[in-house]
Amino acid sequence: MLYFSALAFSLLYTSYALSLISPLDSDVGPQPVPVTQANVLGPVAELHIANEVISPDGFSRSAALANGVYPAPLIRAYKNDRFAIRVFNELTDDTMPLDTSVHWHGISQRTSNWADGVACVTQCPIRPDEAFLHKFTATGQTGTYWYHSHYSTQYCDGLRGPLVIYDPADPLAYMYDVDNENTVITLSDWYHTPSIQLAGIFGAVTANSTLINGRGRYPGGPLQPLTVLNVTQGLRYRFRVIAISCDPSFNFTIDGHRMTIIEVDGVEIVPVEVDSIPILAGQRYSVVVTADQPVGNYWIRSINNQANQTFDDGQNMAILRYDGAPVQDPTSAPGPYELTFDESALHPLINPGAPGIPEIGKADVNLNIVPGFNTDPGLFLLNNVSYVNPPIPVLLQILSGARHPWELLPNGSVYELPPRKVIEISFPNTGAAPGGPHPIHMHGHRFDVVRVSGNSSANFVNPPRRDVVSLGNTGDNVTIRFFTDNPGPWFLHCHIDWHLNHGFAVVMAESPREAAAQQAAVIPADWGRLCLPGLAWGQTRLGGFGTLGSPSILG
């Protein structure tokens, strides 16, 4: 058995990080020049992460923002574009985390695990006054994604925004007329208290308001202007709805209008008509809405699942405004609600079907991961283990020779997956983990949900394919399948950030030997520089590593 002390890890990551620094780094030479417009960036861009005082719901607070705006700017790309996004850490407000990292949610990062942006799993955090260039190609991927901090609970302080990859040959383009930066809809919770303080709560954390495209109202607060989406009667709009939430899920509706779902988490589906959509943290839906009602104003509603929610005074709402309608608040009534949302009906349009033998328990590797909870001190468990951050990133451990779970930290939270095998993971919901429904996200893969929540039967023919799935309610046993064709350590976690902060995560170390060879050939020098010692990153700041074995979680 191999055991690494904290000192050994320090020496190990210093020597390996130094070995990556070379004057022949691929960043040397002429670099692409970012081209931007207001609140919209291209795939070659700069993100300046800094603290600004904002008041999206009328309450002023310091926040952690990308390029000074909330939500962060839309990153707009086209199929097979090459991304080159340099992240600058200009944070100064020590009431919030000062280190940072940025994760590109839903991007598979094939051959670029190092660019996934997960502090303590695929990289060391970016310290203040430092910068890091993420370079990757989302080969073959199109659809609706987002990006956010993956350090501590920082994205709850504002570092989160949309990312869309447009497909010039979209097979469903015939269904809509309008699809642009004005049809992207972000749903988020907002907090008046810095996340470091909220992360110390071992229990429910309640948002102060719901924001739709960065605007909202809170109980007893001022009647702030709400977001307005303008439409022209007779046209069909592709609205890309993204839950950039830290915690709550939302029920999304538009008064008087039905919606046709055509994409789920970046996967085109056989169109399904609904009149409401439950959307959990991290999930995305593209819906086609036809502006076929009389010219007027209609409420867009996004009620969250926390206690005491209301539509009073425009809370949890935005406005759908037809061209020619008066500039005034809607008087529309909710509904009608006649079509039941059914996750099992979200069938992939292209190449449907789960890999492997079509029977539960007959994959090459079958895992049961059971969520639990330790009431004292209030940590979440997966198979009786609460995730803690390792002293150095899992990827760096693999690059330095560690291969197997007993060699990799954190102990008990790393699962080795063999290459080119069908993996099945079931998540029995015993009701032991409070605060559900829990949205489970896996990095590096889309998976087929062969058994969805609320359904005891399996579907291997055309199951939903996505990257965030609800674990449902007590008695459910959600089951996913995927094929291991993307080497690297991939985070699997609850996307309620307070739960992740309290241990609701594991790492899937996929094909470690292949990952080491593949990543060693492509990692840039700047990646190694992030891990050089000397600034005591993560040891002296709130939200940092603490000591080995500490329950501190950096996300």
Side-chain angles (χ1 to χ4, degrees), residues 28 59 170 218 246 507 516:
V28 174
F59 181 92
D170 181 4
Y218 66 94
C246 275
V507 175

Side-chain angles (χ1 to χ4, degrees), residues 21 44 55 93 139 204 249 270 358 527 553:
I21 297 176
V44 178
S55 51
D93 186 342
T139 304
S249 57
V270 178
W527 186 90
I553 301 297

